[in-house]
Amino acid sequence: MDYYLFLTLLLLIPSFFLAAHFRRKTHNLPPTIFPTLPIIGHLHLLKTPIHRTFATISAKHGPILVIRFGSRRVLLVSSPSAAEECFTKNDIVFANRPRLLAGKILGFNYTSMAWAPYGDHWRNLRRIATIEIFSSHRINNFHDRADEGRLLINKLVSECSSQVNLKLVFQELTLNVMMRMISGKRYFNGEMDDKEGKRFREIAKETFMVAGASNLVDHLPVLSWFGVKGFEKRMVSLQKKRDSFIQDLIDQSRNRKPKDIKDNKKKTMIEVLLVLQETNPDYYTDELIKSFVLSIHNGGSLRGSYWGFYKNIHCETEVLVQSQELLTAGTDTSSTTMEWAFSLLLNHPDVLTKAQNEIDAHMMNHNQNRLVDESDMASLPYLRCILNETLRMYPAGPLLVPHESSEDCMVGGYHIPRGTMLLVNQWAIHHDPSLWSEPARFDPERFQGLEGTRDGFRFMAFGFGRRSCPGEGLAMCMVGLTLGLLIQCFDWERVSEEMVDMSEGAGLTMPKAQPCVAKCRPRPTMHKLIS
């Protein structure tokens, strides 16, 4: 009996691989990696950091590949030309998002802006974000970023005798900026230390924990038969807390008397949405406002964070899963970008000095003795070069937010079936030696002459196409202003003679493995101004 079973398996396994090979050839599918294992596909190949693993695979097998995450077909793209095809000719085809468990639970059953399928509802949410929230006019009316920047300066002056943990500093700043835009409140550094502030910080902490949790069922549905519910229960619990918290903020804004809002231009995000609710209450429900606020909270910072990892295939193998709309994930991308930028500056003090000289010269040319503000950013091109080079080397999303094809299409001459998830390996493109000279070298000058944050399809830190990040303008303002203030006001140095550790930690928002810690002291020329 065992002999016949063994013989049957011996015949079936080669037949499976041959059938898959001929199907790919017949249907003109992109190349894949041999072998594609039954059930798990290519999950066994994935090692951290995932973007580097994908880059190695693409270098060996080609810039357009089809791989399998369990039962899910994935198109892996790692060249500018293929990315251009996906986001121009096929932009509408790839305008959907994969339907994953996080979208059902955290994305209000796939109705939030981040998770909604492409259609009238999504277009309306995008229009609100573009016109009502992230327009240049609206961004300029929010002065919270400048206020938080000055509060940060005061905090560092009082703490400069000790080492500064820049990771924590940047996280608290970005959380305060976003929450002030959303509700007019700040929750760190001296305010909101009451029950509400404690509640927010507990939700934020739990969010970071859930972001690293696991959910294999998205790619291996067979596990649902065995009752794998742990991750789902944690997400449901977190979502109830987030939902209740945002609902309380909505109720507080709704109960506020009109006279309490002195300037219509300075309404918070919730107040703007409540005005829309008055015009169309059946559409702009509290549920929609909550989903929109949580989406914007993420999208407002350097693309938002759509990613998490889960471990379980093998003990040390981490597999990709999308877990968007975690309350603090979006702010994490902005704070992480600032942390990478300062780590690079500490390791390249000549670049830091050049940035200081640029700011000093700009102020001197205008006979002004003040702190930099956002209006100065256009006149500080070297600072923009530093930011762009940081985003090139350490993009907040090394893999662009995943898309999914709504119908069959062609990419690179290959047939891409409907329902294929698209992953664009931005990190691989940013580190391609055929596109960038010495890509591992920190060289801000390479971006001289580039006005925006895109350089064709070889540099697109905020994505491209219909579902690119709507908060790009806000992100660049916030990150640029914060870096400018810290460079202008303080002299910085490493805590020791050793270079800052530039190792990457686990996670697809590419955090640093070790927090950036530095020493600072107010610059002599800034003492009077800071005081």
Side-chain angles (χ1 to χ4, degrees):
M1 184 69 177
D2 291 340
Y3 171 77
Y4 289 111
L5 178 61
F6 175 76
L7 185 61
T8 301
L9 290 175
L10 200 63
L11 292 173
L12 284 178
I13 291 175
S15 300
F16 171 82
F17 290 125
L18 285 173
H21 173 75
F22 284 114
R23 179 181 180 277
R24 182 169 55 82
K25 290 293 185 182
T26 303
H27 292 79
N28 189 32
L29 299 175
T32 190
I33 303 171
F34 181 84
T36 303
L37 299 183
I39 302 178
I40 68 170
H42 297 103
L43 292 179
H44 64 291
L45 299 177
L46 305 187
K47 311 292 182 182
T48 57
I50 197 75
H51 51 275
R52 291 181 181 269
T53 298
F54 282 155
T56 301
I57 289 173
S58 296
K60 181 177 180 180
H61 298 280
I64 303 176
L65 290 173
V66 163
I67 56 178
R68 285 274 180 179
F69 290 172
S71 61
R72 190 180 300 274
R73 182 190 300 108
V74 179
L75 173 64
L76 179 61
V77 165
S78 57
S79 76
S81 59
E84 182 175 6
E85 273 197 74
C86 294
F87 295 137
T88 54
K89 183 179 70 175
N90 296 311
D91 191 26
I92 294 180
V93 174
F94 283 113
N96 279 345
R97 298 292 190 210
R99 291 176 68 87
L100 304 180
L101 184 63
K104 179 180 179 180
I105 298 174
L106 303 179
F108 294 81
N109 197 26
Y110 309 104
T111 61
S112 69
M113 186 173 67
W115 287 96
Y118 181 73
D120 291 340
H121 174 63
W122 177 83
R123 282 192 292 268
N124 188 54
L125 294 178
R126 179 74 179 205
R127 180 189 60 80
I128 298 170
T130 303
I131 297 175
E132 301 288 349
I133 306 299
F134 290 130
S135 66
S136 298
H137 178 71
R138 177 68 67 178
I139 289 175
N140 291 336
N141 284 330
F142 283 112
H143 301 291
D144 305 329
R145 298 178 300 280
D147 292 342
E148 289 297 326
R150 284 159 176 74
L151 289 170
L152 174 57
I153 297 300
N154 293 336
K155 174 183 172 67
L156 292 179
V157 168
S158 65
E159 298 179 358
C160 63
S161 59
S162 59
Q163 297 179 1
V164 178
N165 186 325
L166 288 171
K167 180 185 183 68
L168 294 179
V169 165
F170 292 142
Q171 282 182 343
E172 291 181 359
L173 177 137
T174 50
L175 279 166
N176 275 335
V177 168
M178 292 305 298
M179 289 310 297
R180 287 179 70 174
M181 285 186 62
I182 289 171
S183 65
K185 300 180 179 182
R186 62 194 306 270
Y187 293 89
F188 291 92
N189 299 328
E191 292 189 25
M192 297 305 296
D193 288 326
D194 56 7
K195 184 177 180 181
E196 182 178 324
K198 182 180 179 181
R199 181 184 174 195
F200 173 81
R201 289 189 289 272
E202 288 177 350
I203 291 174
K205 181 179 179 180
E206 184 177 350
T207 294
F208 281 116
M209 294 174 62
V210 173
S214 49
N215 180 37
L216 290 170
V217 177
D218 274 326
H219 304 304
L220 298 173
V222 66
L223 293 179
S224 62
W225 302 347
F226 300 97
V228 181
K229 296 290 185 180
F231 180 71
E232 183 175 352
K233 289 180 180 178
R234 294 179 67 184
M235 276 201 295
V236 169
S237 174
L238 173 62
Q239 180 63 359
K240 287 180 179 178
K241 295 176 183 178
R242 298 189 329 152
D243 186 282
S244 175
F245 181 79
I246 299 299
Q247 183 64 59
D248 286 348
L249 295 180
I250 293 172
D251 292 339
Q252 292 170 20
S253 296
R254 181 181 286 120
N255 295 331
R256 190 178 303 151
K257 295 179 181 179
K259 64 180 181 181
D260 294 334
I261 304 174
K262 297 179 180 180
D263 190 343
N264 182 61
K265 295 180 180 179
K266 296 180 181 178
K267 286 181 179 178
T268 66
M269 188 185 303
I270 290 177
E271 290 166 350
V272 169
L273 294 170
L274 286 175
V275 171
L276 294 174
Q277 187 180 71
E278 292 177 2
T279 63
N280 189 353
D282 292 335
Y283 181 76
Y284 295 101
T285 62
D286 282 7
E287 195 81 353
L288 182 140
I289 294 175
K290 284 183 287 188
S291 73
F292 190 86
V293 166
L294 289 169
S295 290
I296 291 299
H297 189 284
N298 302 327
S301 319
L302 294 184
R303 294 179 54 258
S305 176
Y306 289 78
W307 301 99
F309 274 105
Y310 57 83
K311 302 177 182 179
N312 276 332
I313 292 294
H314 295 297
C315 292
E316 298 301 327
T317 301
E318 292 190 347
V319 184
L320 179 66
V321 66
Q322 190 180 25
S323 57
Q324 209 300 34
E325 297 192 309
L326 301 175
L327 182 62
T328 56
T331 53
D332 188 46
T333 55
S334 281
S335 62
T336 298
T337 297
M338 289 187 254
E339 188 184 5
W340 280 117
F342 248 86
S343 299
L344 289 165
L345 291 174
L346 290 169
N347 283 344
H348 298 83
D350 56 318
V351 175
L352 178 59
T353 300
K354 188 172 179 179
Q356 286 179 331
N357 293 339
E358 179 185 60
I359 294 173
D360 293 343
H362 171 69
M363 291 303 178
M364 186 179 298
N365 290 339
H366 291 79
N367 295 317
Q368 294 180 342
N369 185 30
R370 60 173 176 81
L371 298 178
V372 295
D373 58 34
E374 291 177 3
S375 65
D376 299 307
M377 294 300 106
S379 301
L380 300 173
Y382 193 66
L383 181 61
R384 294 202 308 275
C385 289
I386 291 172
L387 180 52
N388 282 338
E389 179 69 343
T390 301
L391 290 170
R392 183 192 68 82
M393 296 185 71
Y394 303 98
L399 295 176
L400 292 183
V401 180
H403 298 241
E404 185 172 278
S405 58
S406 57
E407 59 185 60
D408 291 5
C409 65
M410 299 291 291
V411 175
Y414 296 110
H415 173 71
I416 308 301
R418 175 185 178 181
T420 300
M421 186 167 83
L422 168 66
L423 292 180
V424 176
N425 192 345
Q426 181 175 222
W427 185 91
I429 296 173
H430 286 186
H431 290 78
D432 187 340
S434 68
L435 301 172
W436 307 91
S437 62
E438 299 182 74
R441 180 168 62 92
F442 179 56
D443 180 18
E445 281 81 358
R446 73 171 83 236
F447 281 97
Q448 287 180 341
L450 179 65
E451 291 299 322
T453 55
R454 290 184 178 85
D455 185 8
F457 286 83
R458 70 172 192 157
F459 179 68
M460 44 180 176
F462 295 88
F464 207 93
R466 284 168 172 78
R467 299 199 83 141
S468 61
C469 175
E472 176 180 344
L474 172 61
M476 293 300 288
C477 286
M478 180 165 61
V479 176
L481 176 62
T482 304
L483 294 181
L485 285 170
L486 297 189
I487 291 170
Q488 179 190 22
C489 295
F490 299 95
D491 285 320
W492 295 87
E493 60 182 19
R494 300 188 294 268
V495 295
S496 68
E497 293 184 0
E498 295 183 4
M499 301 289 276
V500 175
D501 184 357
M502 303 299 287
S503 302
E504 302 164 15
L508 285 188
T509 55
M510 205 152 90
K512 290 183 87 274
Q514 300 297 326
C516 180
V517 180
K519 295 187 294 185
C520 69
R521 61 182 183 278
R523 298 175 66 198
T525 56
M526 300 297 294
H527 273 295
K528 184 176 180 180
L529 182 60
I530 291 175
S531 63

